[in-house]
């Protein structure tokens, strides 16, 4: 099959061969290519540590005791100690996530991944891990989806603990 050139008014006599199937896709790397970098696991570890910190410091929130003896959030308390701790750790953790994503992106490029998922998504670690894993699986068929499962699991636990 051949492609014919259309000049906007009529078909011309110029032809081109149809590109071979898959020639525009990503090149495949050998199935045993080690795509699990220590930076990816550090990023997931940072997310897990931040989640644990968030859960632990919830106990540092100020409470008032209601008439029935139940704990109620203290309405006069603007910021609790827990809020200050989590807020103080959040920005450095976000910066560390971006650095880990960059180092992971750079390692993947050195391993031969042509267009790794962009490292700037590291400020949203769940999005970065999902995108990175999907891209890597396109180039290294059969690579693990464990990072996605861990990132999604951490996100579910985070949402569950913040709304309980």
């Amino acid at each position: 099959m051949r492609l014919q050139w259309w000049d906007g008014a009529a078909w011309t006599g110029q032809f081109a061969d149809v590109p071979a199937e898959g020639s525009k896709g990503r090149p495949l790397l050998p199935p045993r290519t080690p795509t699990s970098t220590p930076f990816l696991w550090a990023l997931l570890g940072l997310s897990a540590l931040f989640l644990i910190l968030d859960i632990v410091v919830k106990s540092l929130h100020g409470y008032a005791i209601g008439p029935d003896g139940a704990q109620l959030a203290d309405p006069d308390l603007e910021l609790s100690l827990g809020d200050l701790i989590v807020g103080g750790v959040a920005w450095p953790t976000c910066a560390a996530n971006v650095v880990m994503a960059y180092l992971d992106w750079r390692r993947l490029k050195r391993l031969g991944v042509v267009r790794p998922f962009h490292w700037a998504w590291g400020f949203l670690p769940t999005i970065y891990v999902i995108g990175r894993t999907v891209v890597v699986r396109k180039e290294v068929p059969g690579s693990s989806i464990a990072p996605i499962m861990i990132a999604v699991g951490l996100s579910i636990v985070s949402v569950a603990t913040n709304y309980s």
Side-chain angles (χ1 to χ4, degrees), residues 71-90:
Q71 284 187 344
L72 303 171
D74 187 347
D76 297 328
L77 191 60
E78 301 259 336
L79 284 174
S80 70
L81 178 59
D83 292 330
L84 293 174
I85 291 171
V86 169
V89 173

Side-chain angles (χ1 to χ4, degrees), residues 99-154:
V99 169
M100 290 301 118
Y102 171 75
L103 294 171
D104 179 62
W105 175 84
R106 191 174 69 177
R107 174 73 58 94
L108 290 174
K109 295 245 340 155
R110 288 181 181 159
L111 289 172
V113 177
V114 177
R115 291 182 311 271
F117 196 70
H118 201 278
W119 59 267
W121 284 100
F123 75 95
L124 295 172
T126 303
I127 301 299
Y128 175 76
V129 171
I130 291 170
R132 176 229 193 259
T133 305
V134 168
V135 168
V136 166
R137 283 181 59 88
K138 286 182 179 180
E139 293 192 28
V140 184
S143 57
S144 175
I145 62 165
I148 288 179
M149 302 312 246
I150 293 168
V152 169
L154 289 170

Side-chain angles (χ1 to χ4, degrees), residues 10 17-18 27 38-39 51 53 67 70 73 75 83 90 124-125 131 143 155 158 164:
D17 292 328
V18 175
F39 308 112
L51 175 60
L53 175 70
D83 292 330
L124 295 172
S143 57
S155 294
S158 176
S164 60

Side-chain angles (χ1 to χ4, degrees), residues 17-40:
D17 292 328
V18 175
E21 187 67 34
S23 65
K24 292 194 177 215
R26 295 175 179 268
L28 296 180
L29 297 173
R32 298 278 185 205
T33 302
T35 58
S36 180
T37 70
F39 308 112
L40 171 66

Side-chain angles (χ1 to χ4, degrees), residues 63-73:
Y63 291 99
I65 304 298
D68 59 352
Q71 284 187 344
L72 303 171

